[in-house]
Amino acid sequence: MSVFLKYEDMWDRALGGTTDEKQIPHWFANLAYALIGFVFKICFRYRIDGRENLRAFKDKCGAVVVSNHTSFLDVVLMYMGARPSQFVRLMGRDTLFDNAGGLVGQILSRVGAFPIKRDSADRAAIKRAVHMLKGNQLVGILPEGTRRDKGSKKPEIHSGAAFIAKMGKAPIVPMCVRNAENVKRKGERLRFPKITAEYGKPIVVSDFDFLPKEDRLEGCTWYAMREVFALHQQVPREQVDMVALFPDGRDFTAVFAEHPIPEHTPEEAIELTRPTKKPKAA
């Protein structure tokens, strides 16, 4: 049983899925799940809703899971929501992996996370994510890129999630985390609110082909994030004020009001994204 492995070795291994490739050893991820799950149940009484929208993809199809980002606990809930029968490969900021002399990187890599360089087209990270999806693994992405209301950076939507889903021939599964932002607010004491994560219906990238080619990925990711905030606010998607959430971003509200996107079951999403086999030549 290896205690330490090279980062790159773990980033390029599988974790779950149906591939025959070498796997990251599961013992650490299982131990982390048991310990963190126990602590979170005691402290935050966490609950996962709509998990069937994720479970349907197990061993059948990869999926890109996207979520809101208000706290470091969001990524923990994204990881916990997939367990115990699935793993989610979290895409994290590359600078996190060097913290604590590399110990944080070892822990993150052991549970399946891999790095991406912020504010750049990180081809290595994209290639890894697409490869994971093709092996029927889950990839977790936070399209806002940074925690909302933390620091001076304005929230924006990065379209990489739709690009990776398109390249990996996988649907996008929206999820939200509620109340994690209330655990520690600036200037206030630590709190222990009840935290809930919820998964929504999957989104198929090809449903956005009616848009001009240059707008498809941006529109798809925008729509996915509107689904995320509809779950978070517990309101119909049409009631989400995306302009208030992303004041500097493009607004697709009128576009999708005129051209509603169909809602799919996970089974339908799998069929719509499954690569079609070309008939053999006679």
Side-chain angles (χ1 to χ4, degrees):
M1 182 172 65
S2 300
V3 178
F4 289 98
L5 295 172
K6 292 181 178 180
Y7 292 168
E8 292 82 357
D9 186 23
M10 289 187 279
W11 300 338
D12 291 326
R13 290 191 188 188
L15 187 61
T18 56
T19 177
D20 293 330
E21 297 172 6
K22 193 171 185 178
Q23 296 259 336
I24 299 172
H26 290 192
W27 67 268
F28 185 89
N30 290 336
L31 179 61
Y33 168 66
L35 292 176
I36 295 172
F38 175 77
V39 172
F40 268 54
K41 275 295 183 185
I42 296 297
C43 295
F44 305 116
R45 307 171 306 285
Y46 83 93
R47 188 182 78 237
I48 310 294
D49 294 334
R51 195 180 248 153
E52 66 276 5
N53 290 318
L54 190 70
R55 289 286 184 259
F57 296 100
K58 179 176 168 55
D59 298 335
K60 296 178 182 177
C61 181
V64 174
V65 183
V66 298
S67 176
N68 58 321
H69 194 20
T70 59
S71 164
F72 287 125
L73 298 183
D74 299 331
V75 293
V76 179
L77 267 294
M78 183 180 280
Y79 175 77
M80 298 295 291
R83 299 302 321 273
S85 63
Q86 292 166 286
F87 295 95
V88 60
R89 306 298 301 270
L90 296 161
M91 184 180 281
R93 189 174 73 246
D94 60 334
T95 54
L96 293 173
F97 289 75
D98 295 326
N99 290 342
L103 178 60
V104 171
Q106 186 71 208
I107 292 171
L108 291 175
S109 301
R110 280 282 185 174
V111 298
F114 63 104
I116 184 170
K117 295 177 182 177
R118 178 182 282 184
D119 299 326
S120 68
D122 190 339
R123 293 184 179 181
I126 293 171
K127 185 177 179 180
R128 284 189 176 107
V130 170
H131 183 73
M132 292 167 185
L133 292 173
K134 290 182 177 180
N136 293 339
Q137 298 179 71
L138 303 173
V139 175
I141 299 176
L142 303 169
E144 292 176 276
T146 188
R147 288 173 295 154
R148 179 172 287 272
D149 299 327
K150 301 293 192 300
S152 58
K153 193 170 183 180
K154 289 184 178 181
E156 57 182 318
I157 297 176
H158 300 274
S159 60
F163 178 72
I164 290 170
K166 181 179 177 65
M167 296 298 293
K169 295 179 171 58
I172 298 173
V173 178
M175 74 166 287
C176 76
V177 179
R178 301 190 199 98
N179 269 340
E181 68 274 17
N182 295 322
V183 172
K184 184 65 176 74
R185 291 187 175 276
K186 188 174 182 180
E188 297 182 5
R189 62 180 179 82
L190 189 67
R191 298 177 184 275
F192 298 95
K194 184 175 182 179
I195 297 178
T196 303
E198 183 175 359
Y199 294 95
K201 297 290 186 182
I203 297 163
V204 176
V205 179
S206 61
D207 285 339
F208 298 82
D209 286 352
F210 73 94
L211 290 169
K213 190 173 182 180
E214 64 273 15
D215 295 337
R216 290 172 189 171
L217 298 178
E218 183 182 0
C220 179
T221 309
W222 183 97
Y223 186 89
M225 290 307 294
R226 188 173 70 164
E227 294 292 285
V228 167
F229 283 101
L231 291 170
H232 184 260
Q233 298 172 14
Q234 298 180 290
V235 299
R237 60 178 67 92
E238 294 80 10
Q239 292 183 18
V240 177
D241 188 346
M242 292 292 281
V243 174
L245 289 167
F246 301 98
D248 293 339
R250 184 174 173 184
D251 182 27
F252 286 86
T253 301
V255 175
F256 295 127
E258 183 178 344
H259 194 295
I261 301 299
E263 191 171 279
H264 300 292
T265 65
E267 291 74 22
E268 290 170 345
I270 291 170
E271 288 301 318
L272 288 168
T273 55
R274 195 191 304 272
T276 55
K277 293 183 179 179
K278 296 182 180 180
K280 294 182 179 180

